[in-house]
Amino acid sequence: MKPLFAFLALLLVVAIACSSDSTSDSTTDSANGASPTSVPSPALGSPVTPTPQVSSAPATRASDRKIVAGGTFLRLGADPTTLDPHLTTDVNSAVYAVEIFGGLMTIDKELAIVGDLAETWDVSADGKTTTFRIHPDAKFHNGRSVTANDIKWSLERAADPDTEAFNADVFLGDIVGVDQKLTGASNSISGIQVINDSTLTITTDAPKPFFLSKLTYPVSFVLDQQNVESGRDWIFEPVGTGPFRLEEYRPGEVLRLTRFEDYHLGPAMIDEVEFLISGGNSMLMYENDELHITGIPLGMLEGVLDPANSLFAEVVAAPPQFDVDYFGFNTTEPPFDDVKVRQAFNYAIDRASVASTLLEDLVVPAAGILPTGFPGYNPDLQGYTYDPEKARQLIQDSKYGGLEELPRITLTLPGSFGAAVSPSIEAMLSMWEENLDVRIDLLQTEWAIFLQDLHQQRFQMFGGLGWIADYPDPENFLDVLFHSKSSNNQSEYVNFELDLLLERARVELDETARFELYHRAEEIIVADAPWVPLWHSNGGSVLIKPNVNDYFLFPLTIPKYRYVYFTE
């Protein structure tokens, strides 16, 4: 889901999947405050989900405090691009989708892939067919029980070409028959078979270690057919299966979620979550008790972390996000159709200097694509050093033959016309101008339009964004973003050797061998430079009110508000 994207590197991380855009809070908690355990004994080919090396610590207070039932959790939020989970590709939308809706699988607070609507499941001996048994207490928000037919209809709706679900091919394409459904060649998905009201089977084209993980992404979420077919405004009164119902949404003002009392995994402890979309000074609002959580602006961080500060006791350390911020190139457009030019742009910027001086080491310079601690991370990967001389030589060696021969370059960023550009981006623009003697024109577009144009590969160069993991598997970065046939390959990057490695990794069941394939794939990507990888988040600090408990600071976007509770 996910996958958010980054308007200000560090401060606003947005996962274009929802990170396809990946999916973690579009405004991370650190900025704005904020193995399958139920699988039966695996058969041959049963998928195994890698375990991330980063855990999520909750804000838990003293155990002797009395728990207060109910209450409303207040935080800042952003308008979603859509409330239709099948159309969700960004974090702003995913943060709501994962609370209102659900699918067969989910990610729990230990970051394990576990059942949501599926109570149990088992995998066939050949590893291709998974039999899911629906939780007997699973209900829609209107009280109707969830059936196997609801799941089949929902997945077929997501794969219907009329739905125009951008991520359906990426996250559902392993299922037999999805390709035919996406092209309109079939009215159904042959790989999904309903056995009875509470049981269905899903067959993939090969054993896929990450298949269950993909079923946590919003495009696979289950919808109520009658609700969807009631009219175009159904998304403002959605009937989901998640822990919260959408109670109110006034664009630009507020979005309010209310606890679903009959949630099959146990109702939330709080009554409501209120996202204040109208904005404001989050620190001032926090100090006025108008918010329960806020990020800490860089300029105030040192003061708040002083033990003498009255807010110091409310500081909670946030773990790093599973993310990467980057600039992207369209590799089919001049001058970025030459790998030497792309490499030159990588050598011409000093990531370490920007990270330490402007971003105060709250980010870690990226050698490659996968973040530290993520499954498949390669600590030995060699990235790009700061080498202006080598950068200039690469331009001379390119087919353009010199700096004066480079065509005009336009960098497109998300943001309203005339909006301030982040200091980190300004610094890198200055480095390119100084070291390569190139002036780069800036174009800013509103976020929703930016996403549309990005998906349609209309940019020569793009930035101000990042990718946050949707699930803990290297496939979600390397395959989803760089395979030549992926709809999330925004750079139109093609390397057939890379494709072969990624396709082999899809069906490799030995984790060590699979990760080695991803290591080789990442080395190729870095060398070919369709991106300028910038940095990964390095954690940070948020302020959380003392009466808030079990607010988990997850490194990706998953349901979390049902865990929260208040104490006196």
Side-chain angles (χ1 to χ4, degrees):
M1 306 210 155
K2 353 147 69 198
L4 319 176
F5 312 91
F7 294 128
L8 298 178
L10 171 71
L11 291 186
L12 294 179
V13 176
V14 193
I16 289 179
C18 218
S19 269
S20 52
D21 302 340
S22 170
T23 39
S24 266
D25 290 11
S26 77
T27 331
T28 62
D29 288 313
S30 58
N32 293 292
S35 69
T37 56
S38 58
V39 179
S41 299
L44 174 65
S46 180
V48 177
T49 302
T51 302
Q53 298 171 24
V54 176
S55 61
S56 306
T60 301
R61 312 302 181 182
S63 58
D64 58 348
R65 292 185 177 180
K66 181 180 179 181
I67 294 176
V68 176
T72 298
F73 185 85
L74 301 170
R75 63 162 299 165
L76 291 182
D79 277 311
T81 303
T82 180
L83 286 169
D84 183 341
H86 294 170
L87 302 183
T88 293
T89 64
D90 67 306
V91 176
N92 286 359
S93 303
V95 70
Y96 305 122
V98 298
E99 303 291 349
I100 300 170
F101 302 95
L104 286 167
M105 310 299 295
T106 189
I107 302 176
D108 71 5
K109 60 185 178 181
E110 306 301 329
L111 304 186
I113 307 300
V114 299
D116 181 349
L117 295 176
E119 183 180 41
T120 62
W121 59 95
D122 53 65
V123 182
S124 62
D126 64 2
K128 295 181 181 181
T129 299
T130 305
T131 301
F132 295 95
R133 299 168 190 85
I134 299 172
H135 197 293
D137 296 327
K139 290 181 173 61
F140 287 103
H141 293 163
N142 60 10
R144 186 173 69 81
S145 295
V146 177
T147 70
N149 278 307
D150 291 315
I151 294 167
K152 178 177 173 64
W153 178 85
S154 297
L155 294 175
E156 289 180 342
R157 188 254 183 185
D160 191 314
D162 290 339
T163 301
E164 299 182 341
F166 178 76
N167 283 318
D169 61 331
V170 173
F171 294 98
L172 302 179
D174 302 303
I175 301 173
V176 171
V178 164
D179 286 347
Q180 291 78 8
K181 177 67 173 173
L182 284 167
T183 60
S186 175
N187 291 324
S188 62
I189 299 175
S190 59
I192 303 176
Q193 296 295 319
V194 172
I195 306 304
N196 54 45
D197 278 353
S198 60
T199 311
L200 78 158
T201 62
I202 300 181
T203 301
T204 56
D205 53 15
K208 298 290 178 70
F210 45 79
F211 174 61
L212 293 180
S213 298
K214 284 191 169 183
L215 294 181
T216 67
Y217 191 80
V219 77
S220 70
F221 285 178
V222 177
L223 307 179
D224 179 87
Q225 182 177 1
Q226 185 176 355
N227 175 228
V228 173
E229 294 177 349
S230 65
R232 295 181 61 182
D233 290 339
W234 73 271
I235 58 172
F236 296 106
E237 296 182 359
V239 177
T241 62
F244 290 88
R245 297 182 292 105
L246 178 63
E247 183 68 24
E248 179 184 18
Y249 175 41
R250 286 179 280 139
E253 297 183 36
V254 66
L255 189 149
R256 189 156 51 93
L257 303 178
T258 301
R259 175 178 61 208
F260 177 41
E261 297 288 355
D262 293 328
Y263 183 56
H264 58 285
L265 299 181
M269 298 184 71
I270 56 175
D271 293 324
E272 294 183 329
V273 184
E274 192 168 299
F275 296 85
L276 304 174
I277 297 171
S278 54
N281 184 317
S282 64
M283 282 292 293
L284 182 60
M285 294 173 71
Y286 180 86
E287 293 186 76
N288 289 337
D289 293 330
E290 298 171 34
L291 299 176
H292 286 106
I293 183 171
T294 180
I296 305 171
L298 285 176
M300 302 180 67
L301 186 58
E302 183 178 356
V304 173
L305 294 180
D306 183 342
N309 191 303
S310 60
L311 293 175
F312 176 75
E314 299 173 23
V315 173
V316 176
Q321 298 277 300
F322 289 146
D323 63 3
V324 58
D325 285 7
Y326 63 95
F327 291 102
F329 304 122
N330 188 320
T331 60
T332 68
E333 288 194 21
F336 302 119
D337 55 349
D338 190 317
V339 64
K340 290 184 172 64
V341 175
R342 302 196 299 267
Q343 291 171 341
F345 270 67
N346 272 277
Y347 279 115
I349 60 170
D350 189 349
R351 296 168 176 80
S353 174
V354 175
S356 62
T357 59
L358 291 179
L359 299 176
E360 300 187 16
D361 292 322
L362 291 176
V363 297
V364 177
I369 309 302
L370 297 180
T372 304
F374 197 75
Y377 171 72
N378 180 6
D380 299 320
L381 180 67
Q382 297 298 309
Y384 289 90
T385 58
Y386 179 49
D387 193 336
E389 183 176 344
K390 187 169 186 176
R392 287 189 289 270
Q393 186 59 52
L394 282 164
I395 297 293
Q396 295 294 331
D397 295 343
S398 75
K399 68 181 182 180
Y400 295 98
L403 299 172
E404 64 280 356
E405 300 300 325
L406 292 181
R408 188 169 182 169
I409 297 172
T410 299
L411 168 64
T412 305
L413 305 171
S416 56
F417 178 76
V421 176
S422 74
S424 59
I425 290 180
E426 287 184 337
M428 288 180 283
L429 290 172
S430 296
M431 290 177 189
W432 282 320
E433 182 175 359
E434 178 180 351
N435 296 326
L436 298 180
D437 197 26
V438 293
R439 287 190 61 84
I440 298 175
D441 296 327
L442 289 183
L443 177 65
Q444 294 174 292
T445 62
E446 296 289 350
W447 178 242
I449 303 301
F450 181 90
L451 279 183
Q452 292 176 16
D453 289 344
L454 184 71
H455 292 162
Q456 295 176 25
Q457 299 163 329
R458 291 177 176 173
F459 302 141
Q460 179 192 26
M461 180 180 180
F462 49 93
L465 73 164
W467 182 270
I468 297 179
D470 302 302
Y471 43 85
D473 194 287
E475 179 268 351
N476 186 232
F477 281 85
L478 303 180
D479 198 329
V480 167
L481 294 168
F482 297 103
H483 191 284
S484 64
K485 300 297 184 183
S486 174
S487 58
N488 278 295
N489 183 344
Q490 317 296 357
S491 293
E492 298 194 71
Y493 164 59
V494 177
N495 183 309
F496 295 119
E497 179 186 0
L498 173 69
D499 285 353
L500 181 60
L501 286 171
L502 294 173
E503 288 161 11
R504 288 174 57 191
R506 290 174 185 175
V507 296
E508 176 57 65
L509 300 180
D510 179 85
E511 185 176 281
T512 301
R514 185 165 171 259
F515 284 2
E516 178 56 34
L517 290 170
Y518 282 125
H519 288 177
R520 291 164 58 190
E522 190 174 19
E523 289 171 357
I524 291 173
I525 294 166
V526 171
D528 282 351
W531 282 11
V532 177
L534 296 175
W535 35 67
H536 312 291
S537 66
N538 195 26
S541 301
V542 298
L543 289 168
I544 300 179
K545 290 294 182 180
N547 64 328
V548 174
N549 298 262
D550 281 10
Y551 183 93
F552 289 89
L553 297 163
F554 294 121
L556 34 68
T557 300
I558 57 179
K560 63 183 177 183
Y561 292 104
R562 69 186 181 97
Y563 303 118
V564 177
Y565 65 95
F566 294 113
T567 51
E568 290 183 344

